[in-house]
Amino acid sequence: MIGWLCLYSVIVLQSVEISTSEPVGGWGKWGSWSACSVTCGFGSIRRNKQWEYPDGRTANYTLTKIVECFINKTCPIHGGWSMWTGWTRCPVMCGGANVTRTRLCNAPKPSNGGRFCNGSDTDSFFCNNVTCPEIPPDFDMKSCLNDSMFVCKSRQHCVPNSLKCDFELDCHDGTDERDCIISLGMGINSSMQKSKFLAVICTLLILWEKLLVN
């Protein structure tokens, strides 16, 4: 149902150049109203009339009347994506694994027959895709009973405490470097360790840039 709410009218009038060498003429009759410009809610309808000469010719001048219209129907709301969540933590220090982030189609949530969001609600990339160290063939777990040894998370390998957080993987599962980045390089005492630390920082900056771009 269309309700014509005559809350406003807009008249578009182009100036007519009058020449004394021909009859002046005048505005013709109004044409029919157009359909409402929307299929739900508020829109507009319009009708036109043209300048006509006595001999039946029409000039390229149009008078337009625009009136508000209303379609008494609830409009569909199309879905929009929320912001991405943060990336999940990489579960491994070597060997490679997927990290993911997600988003929801709730900004706004589709309703009244509106379209669902285009695209995927999940994003991922492969992290820490480096080769893990191997357990030495002559390794004996009895050596891990010494307080000077760091036991790897797998409980199948251990390395000296001095190798923990040295920016080089020594455990076969890489856990000697797990949770070390919070130290921000404290205790670095060699040029090789410093270069490894800088490499880690550069990797973090690249990941941060990727987050900002996406």
Side-chain angles (χ1 to χ4, degrees):
M1 176 180 180
I2 299 179
W4 291 3
L5 306 180
C6 298
L7 301 181
Y8 68 86
S9 294
V10 179
I11 302 297
V12 180
L13 176 61
Q14 296 182 349
S15 61
V16 180
E17 297 180 3
I18 300 175
S19 173
T20 56
S21 61
E22 60 181 352
V24 174
W27 291 112
K29 294 182 179 180
W30 286 106
S32 301
W33 286 104
S34 68
C36 192
S37 60
V38 297
T39 57
C40 61
F42 287 94
S44 62
I45 57 174
R46 62 179 60 205
R47 62 178 180 175
N48 303 322
K49 62 180 177 179
Q50 289 186 303
W51 190 268
E52 297 178 353
Y53 294 110
D55 59 4
R57 291 181 299 116
T58 58
N60 190 26
Y61 307 119
T62 303
L63 180 64
T64 301
K65 186 174 185 179
I66 302 174
V67 177
E68 189 175 52
C69 60
F70 176 73
I71 303 295
N72 189 18
K73 179 182 177 182
T74 303
C75 293
I77 298 176
H78 303 305
W81 288 115
S82 67
M83 294 183 65
W84 287 102
T85 63
W87 291 102
T88 56
R89 186 180 186 185
C90 191
V92 298
M93 293 299 294
C94 57
N98 279 322
V99 292
T100 60
R101 61 178 182 172
T102 58
R103 58 182 178 175
L104 298 174
C105 187
N106 63 357
K109 185 177 181 180
S111 60
N112 304 326
R115 294 188 301 272
F116 194 79
C117 302
N118 291 323
S120 175
D121 61 354
T122 305
D123 190 16
S124 66
F125 73 91
F126 209 55
C127 63
N128 291 343
N129 187 24
V130 295
T131 303
C132 294
E134 295 183 0
I135 299 177
D138 57 348
F139 175 75
D140 187 352
M141 276 298 293
K142 292 180 181 178
S143 63
C144 300
L145 299 176
N146 192 318
D147 290 341
S148 65
M149 303 297 287
F150 171 78
V151 180
C152 306
K153 185 177 181 180
S154 67
R155 299 292 177 179
Q156 300 176 15
H157 190 203
C158 64
V159 297
N161 283 329
S162 60
L163 298 182
K164 180 172 171 57
C165 297
D166 65 346
F167 295 97
E168 185 171 342
L169 299 178
D170 298 291
C171 280
H172 79 107
D173 57 5
T175 51
D176 56 306
E177 299 302 314
R178 191 73 170 174
D179 301 322
C180 294
I181 194 60
I182 59 173
S183 66
L184 295 178
M186 295 175 62
I188 295 177
N189 52 20
S190 72
S191 59
M192 182 174 292
Q193 287 177 327
K194 289 178 181 177
S195 64
K196 292 175 182 177
F197 173 71
L198 291 175
V200 171
I201 295 300
C202 289
T203 301
L204 289 175
L205 290 175
I206 292 172
L207 290 175
W208 179 249
E209 182 180 5
K210 182 176 179 180
L211 287 174
L212 292 178
V213 170
N214 294 334

